[in-house]
């Protein structure tokens, strides 16, 4: 009996699907919708829904309604591959997702073969775009190396540093940032790395490292890591009268850094995501979420919303859902989104989305223009 | 040469902090052959107590010097009370148990205190006010050595002298030495061994609290986790110098401080811990009892 029921149910679903097929544009939404990382995936799914409803209410895309097809990958690479196969079988023309870098990388091969463009709101691993393996991949979030590049450019061009000490906390994030910074300094050939070292998080004091920075006669210190170490290092630097500028990453662009280092934090620099809260589209996106769910959106909501805007605008500009036309449109057309005016470079990173440099002034982070 | 001097003084400061904590490890071990792994947490609690008192009194607008004295005294008293209580709760009931039991109890106590402070206070890093004013020495010394560092080093020296005097010349000191030599015999000649052990824990905890206040003032921040690494390092220093020996703990702490400082300065801070612990392994291979430790002859 149950078997018969399920056969009926299945055929019913298939009929609905085949009817819908003719009239909708299918967009896949992949990411962690359950499990311990669901808090990173669900806001993106909501963003997709909210924006798709908006477009559908306004008459749809190319005269058709948008149909979202969700696939939960729980942020696990092995499940992400299955999700990708499911979405390919469902004949989606675009995928919003995945959320985690590892899952995104695992799923990308499948989409690349099937010729489906993918746009992630949250996967920051540099290799996804830099490797050149995934011509169909785009993202609306800046990759990890972008802020190292920004920090290095800022230190060399604006602070005119010739000798730079690069310090990190030996962790994945901090050391990754520091290694990119070192690479950019060496490739730029405008300044030299006079010191490249890791400190031990939690060590009793950092006096010896600071003495070493002083001895290296560095004009600036670029630090990769989080605020507890950063505040100890900047405090020790000021106390030992080391004049070098202190430049760090968004692990340090945190109010706790200012609270803990107090007056010693004054004048320190840190990179962090651009402040888009004044952007009217950003306000609109958040208001839409509030209207639909009566709460503030979670992580990557804005990035996912921006991705949906970029995708739909590209399809409109291309006038079709053809892979080549849509990806060409993404790369050539500037679009206004909640994260600012963006288009995509040839590797898929969003130009215009990214980081800004902030400086601690009177106990507050102020964006440096 | 100036660089060498800077590293030397940096190592001296760091070694002095280790010494203040290591004394507690070594004294407790000397008396009851227990490695009190909760000792690092006492140091952390000392720093926290000082922070709380300093915050309260700076709201009241008291002068910095008075706040410093009150906060330090409070930290010392509070930590001593913790040390005393820990011994009564976690070690005394296990005094005749196999040696592994109090050791496990100590590790449990350490985790308990860490999590207790985490829940009662916060997991955040908290700013610690500068209680020792950073007055300027003459150039070029001001670049090398600050008043906070001078305070750390001189406190350690004074504490060392007082402790030596206490153990050599007071009745309690004699009782401590007797208990360390032979607990049963000390009991038989009328020494109150329980009291001696309590006093040992109180003194050790007071020193750790001093270390906690001084280092928090020096680096300007406090967190529930600071006791872990400092405790491990101080324990290493105590073993290096010969656990159970008071001058040994200080010597071990200074050697450890200098090793870390010079390894960072001349090689790389990546290898700070590598050199510190490689040194420990080498010493243990060639002098198993530590630098100033006596090798015990066990009666069979």
């Amino acid at each position: 009996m149950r078997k018969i029921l399920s056969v009926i149910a299945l055929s019913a679903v298939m009929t609905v699907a085949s009817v819908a097929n003719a009239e909708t544009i299918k967009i896949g939404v992949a990411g962690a919708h359950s499990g311990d990382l669901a808090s990173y995936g669900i806001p993106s799914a909501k963003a997709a829904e909210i924006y798709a409803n908006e477009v559908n209410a306004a008459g749809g895309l190319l005269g058709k309604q948008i149909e979202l097809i969700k696939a939960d990958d729980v942020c696990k690479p092995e499940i992400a591959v299955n999700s990708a196969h499911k979405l390919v079988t469902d004949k989606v023309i675009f995928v919003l997702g995945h959320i985690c870098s590892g899952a995104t990388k695992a799923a990308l091969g499948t989409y690349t073969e099937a010729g489906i463009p993918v746009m992630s709101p949250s996967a920051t691993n540099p290799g996804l775009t830099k490797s050149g393996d995934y011509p169909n991949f785009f993202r609306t979030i800046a990759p990890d190396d972008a802020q190292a590049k920004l920090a290095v450019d800022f230190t060399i061009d604006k602070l005119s540093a010739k000798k730079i000490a690069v310090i990190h906390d030996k962790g994945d994030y901090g050391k990754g940032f520091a290694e990119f910074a070192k690479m950019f300094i060496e490739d730029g050939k405008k300044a030299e790395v006079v010191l490249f070292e890791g400190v031990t998080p939690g060590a009793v004091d950092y006096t010896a490292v600071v003495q070493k920075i002083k001895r290296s006669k560095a004009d600036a210190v670029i630090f990769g890591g989080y605020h507890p170490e950063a505040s100890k290092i900047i405090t020790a630097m000021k106390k030992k009268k080391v004049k070098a500028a202190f430049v760090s990453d968004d692990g340090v662009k945190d109010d706790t850094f200012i609270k803990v280092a107090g007056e010693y934090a004054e004048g320190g620099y840190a990179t962090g995501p651009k402040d888009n809260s004044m952007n009217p589209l950003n306000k609109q996106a958040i208001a839409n979420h509030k209207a639909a769910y009566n709460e503030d959106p979670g992580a990557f909501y804005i990035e996912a919303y921006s991705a949906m805007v970029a995708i739909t605008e590209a399809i409109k500009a291309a006038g079709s859902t053809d892979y080549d036309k849509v990806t060409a449109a993404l790369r050539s057309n500037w679009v206004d989104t909640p994260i600012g005016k963006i288009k995509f470079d040839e590797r898929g990173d969003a130009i215009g989305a990214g980081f800004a440099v902030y400086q601690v002034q009177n106990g507050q982070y102020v964006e440096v223009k | 040469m100036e660089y060498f001097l800077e590293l030397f003084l940096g190592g001296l400061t760091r070694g002095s902090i280790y010494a203040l904590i290591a004394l507690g490890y070594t004294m407790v071990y000397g008396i009851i052959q227990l490695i009190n792994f909760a000792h690092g947490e006492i140091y952390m609690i000392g720093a926290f107590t000082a922070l709380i008192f300093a915050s309260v009194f700076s709201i009241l607008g008291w002068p910095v010097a008075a706040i410093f004295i009150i906060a330090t005294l409070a930290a010392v008293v509070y930590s001593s009370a913790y040390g005393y209580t820990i011994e009564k709760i976690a070690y005394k009931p296990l005094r005749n148990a196999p040696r592994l039991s109090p050791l496990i109890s100590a590790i449990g106590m350490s985790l308990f205190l860490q999590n207790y402070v985490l829940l009662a206070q916060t997991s955040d890093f908290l700013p610690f006010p500068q209680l020792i004013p950073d007055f300027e020495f003459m150039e070029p010394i001001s670049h090398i050595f600050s008043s906070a560092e001078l305070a750390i080093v001189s406190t350690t020296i004074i504490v060392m002298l007082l402790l030596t005097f206490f153990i050599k010349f007071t009745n309690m000191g004699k009782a401590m030495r007797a208990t360390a030599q032979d607990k049963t015999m000390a009991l038989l000649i009328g020494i109150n061994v329980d009291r001696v052990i309590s006093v040992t824990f109180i003194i050790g905890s007071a020193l750790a609290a001093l270390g906690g206040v001084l280092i928090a003032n020096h680096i300007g921040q406090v967190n529930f986790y600071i006791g872990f690494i400092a405790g491990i390092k101080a324990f290493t220093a105590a073993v290096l110098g010969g656990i159970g020996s008071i001058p040994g703990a200080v010597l071990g702490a200074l050697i450890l401080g200098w090793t870390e400082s010079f390894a960072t300065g001349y090689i790389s801070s990546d290898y700070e811990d590598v050199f510190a612990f490689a040194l420990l392994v080498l010493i243990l291979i060639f002098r198993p009892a530590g630098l100033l430790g006596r090798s015990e002859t066990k009666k069979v």
Side-chain angles (χ1 to χ4, degrees):
Chain A
M1 187 61 201
R2 182 173 286 176
K3 211 172 208 172
I4 297 170
L5 265 184
S6 62
V7 168
I8 294 170
L10 199 71
S11 52
V13 168
M14 282 167 74
T15 347
V16 171
S18 55
V19 170
N21 195 20
E23 298 162 5
T24 61
I25 289 181
K26 290 184 184 176
I27 295 181
V29 179
H33 302 147
S34 66
D36 53 347
L37 296 169
S39 62
Y40 290 130
I42 288 173
S44 292
K46 285 183 178 170
E49 230 165 68
I50 289 169
Y51 191 71
N53 287 341
E54 210 177 299
V55 172
N56 287 342
L61 199 57
L62 307 180
K64 295 177 188 170
Q65 295 281 295
I66 296 177
E67 184 189 352
L68 296 176
I69 298 182
K70 289 187 187 168
D72 183 6
D73 68 5
V74 215
C75 267
K76 293 200 168 113
E78 64 276 18
I79 298 177
V81 175
N82 289 340
S83 309
H85 282 299
K86 174 185 180 295
L87 292 176
V88 170
T89 323
D90 284 343
K91 297 203 164 41
V92 299
I93 53 99
F94 213 113
V95 175
L96 173 74
H98 296 222
I99 300 299
C100 300
S101 290
T104 309
K105 193 168 184 187
L108 269 175
T110 310
Y111 297 125
T112 312
E113 270 175 34
I116 295 175
V118 178
M119 191 179 291
S120 170
S122 59
T124 55
N125 184 293
L128 291 172
T129 49
K130 298 288 179 288
S131 66
D133 293 343
Y134 311 109
N136 58 332
F137 180 71
F138 301 87
R139 61 180 150 205
T140 49
I141 192 164
D144 286 340
D145 59 335
Q147 60 170 327
K149 178 92 179 99
L150 177 68
V152 167
D153 288 349
F154 178 80
T155 311
I156 295 175
D157 299 337
K158 294 275 166 60
L159 303 177
S160 342
K162 292 273 173 258
K163 293 177 169 182
I164 301 174
V166 181
I167 309 290
H168 58 85
D169 67 354
K170 300 188 206 167
D172 280 343
Y173 168 68
K175 193 171 184 189
F177 175 85
E179 276 169 351
F180 279 120
K182 181 169 180 258
M183 191 182 86
F184 291 131
I185 297 168
E186 283 166 354
D187 289 353
K189 295 192 168 57
K190 281 190 235 158
E192 57 171 328
V193 179
V194 287
L195 188 64
F196 182 79
E197 272 191 18
V199 297
T200 312
V204 172
D205 75 343
Y206 292 136
T207 313
V209 173
V210 169
Q211 303 283 23
K212 208 168 178 181
I213 292 171
K214 193 167 111 189
R215 192 186 188 216
S216 72
K217 301 214 166 25
D219 308 315
V221 175
I222 292 183
F223 174 75
Y226 298 99
H227 60 82
E229 280 66 55
S231 55
K232 271 200 229 175
I233 291 174
I234 199 170
T235 304
M237 276 170 62
K238 295 278 169 72
K239 283 190 173 173
K240 293 285 166 200
K241 304 191 168 49
V242 178
K243 294 279 189 309
F246 186 83
V247 184
S248 193
D249 51 29
D250 70 343
V252 174
K253 206 222 147 240
D254 181 306
D255 288 340
T256 319
F257 171 68
I258 303 176
K259 200 180 86 189
V260 172
E263 54 177 306
Y264 300 110
E266 278 302 306
Y269 298 95
T271 56
K274 267 190 188 158
D275 183 10
N276 291 305
S277 56
M278 287 300 124
N279 184 328
L281 285 170
N282 191 310
K283 285 182 180 163
Q284 182 60 42
I286 291 172
N288 288 349
H289 188 279
K290 200 123 193 166
Y293 295 100
N294 196 26
E295 58 184 18
D296 285 327
F300 309 124
Y301 170 79
I302 289 297
E303 285 79 6
Y305 196 98
S306 303
M308 281 300 286
V309 176
I311 293 167
T312 49
E313 291 301 316
I315 292 172
K316 270 188 211 165
S320 86
T321 56
D322 178 62
Y323 173 84
D324 291 324
K325 287 182 183 160
V326 172
T327 51
L330 282 169
R331 291 194 167 100
S332 56
N333 288 15
W334 287 95
V335 198
D336 273 318
T337 69
I339 55 166
K341 208 173 166 79
I342 57 167
K343 72 172 186 177
F344 296 86
D345 65 15
E346 72 280 11
R347 289 175 185 262
D349 279 318
I351 305 168
F355 293 94
V357 179
Y358 295 81
Q359 186 182 30
V360 182
Q361 291 173 5
N362 303 320
Q364 250 178 316
Y365 273 115
V366 178
E367 193 174 333
V368 181
K369 301 284 177 194
Chain B
M1 187 59 207
E2 188 190 305
Y3 186 55
F4 177 85
L5 198 66
E6 283 172 354
L7 293 177
F8 179 84
L9 290 172
L12 183 66
T13 313
R14 194 185 271 220
S16 299
I17 291 291
Y18 291 158
L20 284 174
I21 312 170
L23 283 169
Y25 276 109
T26 220
M27 283 168 69
V28 166
Y29 185 87
I31 303 275
I32 55 172
Q33 278 76 50
L34 162 76
I35 292 158
N36 177 15
F37 275 116
H39 195 59
E41 270 55 58
I42 296 287
Y43 152 89
M44 177 266 293
I45 285 171
F48 256 100
T49 312
L51 173 67
I52 292 166
F53 273 79
S55 313
V56 170
F57 283 96
S58 43
I59 291 172
L60 297 177
W62 288 36
V64 179
I67 294 176
F68 175 65
I69 293 168
I70 291 172
T72 312
L73 280 178
V76 166
V77 170
Y78 216 80
S79 294
S80 304
Y82 262 93
Y84 177 82
T85 317
I86 289 172
E87 195 270 327
K88 286 284 177 274
I89 294 173
Y91 307 143
K92 196 176 171 212
L94 295 171
R95 203 162 287 159
N96 296 316
R99 279 175 73 175
L100 201 55
S101 309
L103 190 73
I104 293 166
S105 180
I107 292 170
M109 207 64 209
S110 161
L111 291 174
F112 166 78
L113 288 173
Q114 259 177 41
N115 287 284
Y116 164 67
V117 175
L118 164 68
L119 293 172
Q121 299 294 330
T122 164
S123 63
D124 281 353
F125 279 79
L126 299 170
F128 194 91
Q130 190 155 18
L131 296 176
I132 301 172
D134 210 7
F135 61 80
E136 302 267 317
F137 293 107
M138 286 176 308
E139 295 285 329
I141 305 169
S142 68
H143 284 255
I144 303 174
F145 212 51
S146 72
S147 50
E149 287 162 315
L150 180 71
I152 292 172
V153 175
S154 50
T155 306
T156 309
I157 294 172
I158 293 168
V159 161
M160 263 297 289
L161 293 175
L162 286 177
L163 196 63
T164 315
F165 175 81
F166 177 79
I167 286 176
K168 280 234 159 83
F169 300 110
T170 62
N171 279 337
M172 183 44 89
K174 279 180 196 153
M176 280 168 88
R177 279 184 287 153
T179 313
Q181 256 177 22
D182 192 333
K183 214 177 348 175
T184 325
M185 198 60 205
L187 257 173
L188 287 176
I189 58 168
I191 291 173
N192 187 345
V193 171
D194 279 342
R195 203 162 147 248
V196 168
I197 293 172
S198 293
V199 169
T200 312
F201 269 87
I202 288 172
I203 294 176
S205 305
L207 298 183
L210 263 183
V213 178
L214 290 170
I215 195 71
N217 177 75
H218 178 49
I219 62 172
Q221 56 175 267
V222 170
N223 171 262
F224 75 96
Y225 200 62
I226 55 169
F228 179 72
I229 289 181
I232 294 276
K233 287 285 170 68
F235 170 64
T236 309
V239 173
L240 207 57
I243 193 152
S245 151
I246 288 175
V250 177
L251 181 70
L254 291 178
I255 290 178
L256 189 67
W258 281 321
T259 308
E260 290 185 351
S261 189
F262 286 123
T264 301
Y266 288 115
I267 301 157
S268 164
S269 62
D270 286 327
Y271 293 96
E272 186 184 282
D273 287 352
V274 175
F275 281 97
F277 291 107
L279 176 75
L280 179 71
V281 171
L282 280 179
I283 298 268
L284 288 181
I285 289 171
F286 293 106
R287 277 197 67 97
L291 290 171
L292 298 184
R294 287 160 301 166
S295 45
E296 285 173 42
T297 36
K298 282 255 153 70
K299 275 175 251 160
V300 189

